[in-house]
Amino acid sequence: MPETQTKTAAPTKPQLFSKGHGACAGCGSAVAIRSILFNLGPNIVVSLATGCMEVVSTGYPDNCWGVPVVHSLFENAPAVASGVTRALKKRGSNAIPVVIGGDGSTYDIGFGALSGAMERNEDMIYFCYDNEAYENTGIQRSGATPKYAATTTSPKEVGGKSEWKKNVSFIAASHGVPYAATASIAFLSDLKKKIEKAKAIKGFRIITLFAGCQLGWKHEPSLSIEVARKAVNTGMWNLYEIENGVFHRTVKPKQIEPVENYLKMQGRFKHLKPEQVADIQQRINANQTELDKLETSAVNLSKIL
Ligand SMILES: Cc1ncc(C[n+]2csc(CCOP(=O)(O)OP(=O)(O)O)c2C)c(N)n1
Ligand code: SF4
Ligand SMILES: [Mg+2]
């Protein structure tokens, strides 16, 4: 009698951000939330700021979250998590308080509460899914929008945003937090390592996760991961961590590609003139030089007063 083969299914982790949400096809931000929860595991309590990811996943009676979630505001998500931290401690729970917010929440509207939580070194992990605009309300520019990118609030004479993007990881490091890192939905093993590291640290940890919005960035839904990968390969987005004030690159492309390769993939940059592309390239080149200097120096960013 031939030996029968029994197929054993590979053990699967329960999906903590499940199907059924209303995000657009190819939404990079939904990939971000799914990956964050997958790596954190179920023993967390989330304070979720308003934004696309909240709107698409919590419309009554549907709910995609397999973990406790407090729906917070832009202005108070880290403050709510500070309360959660104390409540969990009082109960003797070892669940991790987590904040999830978009770039509008993190870089701009909720920054006051975020800064306060960082100053107090609250024991929580903060995730910013950075899709570089207020996407949910119609693609308005935020402090995270890159210079020259078209949004619905771009001044006509410029055709895109007039200012450079803020760097929230360095702002966090200057608060003296023990861990600030960047990540990308195109580099999931890098994200996994960073989340594991963050879980093992006490105090305020912040991970800013580059996660696109095909609707606002104007590219094919199937290209979301490719666009995110190109951002790193052209130096538009850099992968690093700042641990106790010490900067370290976690992924560095061997050869930085021309930024044009990234810009031409997206409709939000299609109006750019050659001099604007050159301006971005120059900024990237200077930035790479400074990051390389930091990597090889003994500068401790959290000790700069
Ligand atoms: C104080 C306040 N201002 C404005 C709004 C309206 N609003 C809801 S979602 C949203 C966009 C959020 O942008 P972001 O945090 O980047 O998340 P995204 O929608 O891009 O995922 C805005 C402006 C609000 N809810 N509260
Ligand atoms: S608008 Fe953008 S961020 Fe919102 S669900 Fe669609 S692709 Fe995702
Ligand atoms: Mg956003």
Side-chain angles (χ1 to χ4, degrees):
M1 217 170 117
E3 220 174 61
T4 46
Q5 274 192 342
T6 43
K7 225 179 175 183
T8 20
T12 50
K13 280 199 205 175
Q15 285 300 336
L16 300 175
F17 187 69
S18 69
K19 59 188 176 183
H21 57 70
C24 308
C27 173
S29 300
V31 174
I33 306 300
R34 200 174 143 116
S35 309
I36 290 168
L37 294 193
F38 184 82
N39 287 300
L40 280 174
N43 195 23
I44 58 174
V45 177
V46 177
S47 172
L48 178 65
T50 308
C52 231
M53 290 304 101
E54 174 267 315
V55 172
V56 301
S57 66
T58 60
Y60 183 81
D62 300 319
N63 171 24
C64 303
W65 296 79
V67 292
V69 174
V70 187
H71 176 199
S72 310
L73 307 175
F74 280 133
E75 302 89 327
N76 68 356
V80 168
S82 303
V84 168
T85 307
R86 282 148 188 77
L88 291 172
K89 200 170 168 197
K90 187 95 180 156
R91 285 178 170 205
S93 164
N94 64 356
I96 304 171
V98 167
V99 182
I100 299 180
D103 51 289
S105 177
T106 306
Y107 288 67
D108 302 335
I109 306 179
F111 184 74
L114 168 60
S115 175
M118 292 196 290
E119 186 187 8
R120 298 191 302 275
N121 196 23
E122 293 284 348
D123 194 16
M124 62 180 71
I125 310 182
Y126 188 106
F127 288 93
C128 169
Y129 67 95
D130 186 354
N131 54 26
E132 302 194 317
Y134 293 84
E135 304 295 0
N136 186 252
T137 37
I139 324 168
Q140 293 85 16
R141 64 82 90 189
S142 77
T145 305
K147 192 174 181 183
Y148 301 124
T151 63
T152 51
T153 45
S154 308
K156 271 208 179 73
E157 56 281 7
V158 184
K161 190 187 169 192
S162 313
E163 299 82 20
W164 296 107
K165 182 183 174 95
K166 293 183 200 172
N167 187 320
V168 91
S169 302
F170 278 72
I171 295 171
S174 74
H175 282 70
V177 301
Y179 191 70
T182 58
S184 163
I185 55 162
F187 292 81
L188 290 181
S189 58
D190 180 68
L191 172 68
K192 181 177 194 284
K193 280 187 218 148
K194 285 168 176 167
I195 292 181
E196 273 163 12
K197 192 177 259 191
K199 278 172 86 173
I201 295 171
K202 286 271 165 222
F204 198 93
R205 298 87 94 191
I206 175 166
I207 297 179
T208 306
L209 180 47
F210 189 87
C213 163
Q214 51 93 347
L215 194 81
W217 296 15
K218 298 185 178 29
H219 60 71
E220 286 300 317
S222 59
L223 288 180
S224 299
I225 302 297
E226 233 9 79
V227 169
R229 196 186 324 277
K230 200 61 90 180
V232 172
N233 290 345
T234 56
M236 267 301 264
W237 184 252
N238 296 288
L239 295 175
Y240 54 79
E241 52 193 7
I242 306 171
E243 215 176 334
N244 295 315
V246 179
F247 174 89
H248 167 61
R249 278 190 195 259
T250 55
V251 174
K252 190 186 174 195
K254 278 195 189 102
Q255 183 90 43
I256 297 282
E257 286 182 38
V259 72
E260 206 177 346
N261 295 357
Y262 172 71
L263 303 175
K264 71 183 180 199
M265 294 175 94
Q266 302 161 69
R268 63 179 173 151
F269 295 115
K270 81 168 189 295
H271 59 284
L272 260 62
K273 299 188 180 87
E275 57 270 27
Q276 293 172 320
V277 174
D279 191 24
I280 299 174
Q281 188 65 66
Q282 210 172 23
R283 171 99 173 176
I284 289 178
N285 296 347
N287 189 32
Q288 294 303 318
T289 307
E290 295 308 309
L291 292 182
D292 285 342
K293 278 195 230 161
L294 256 186
E295 176 87 45
T296 49
S297 77
V299 171
N300 188 314
L301 295 163
S302 61
K303 296 224 163 96
I304 301 172
L305 303 173

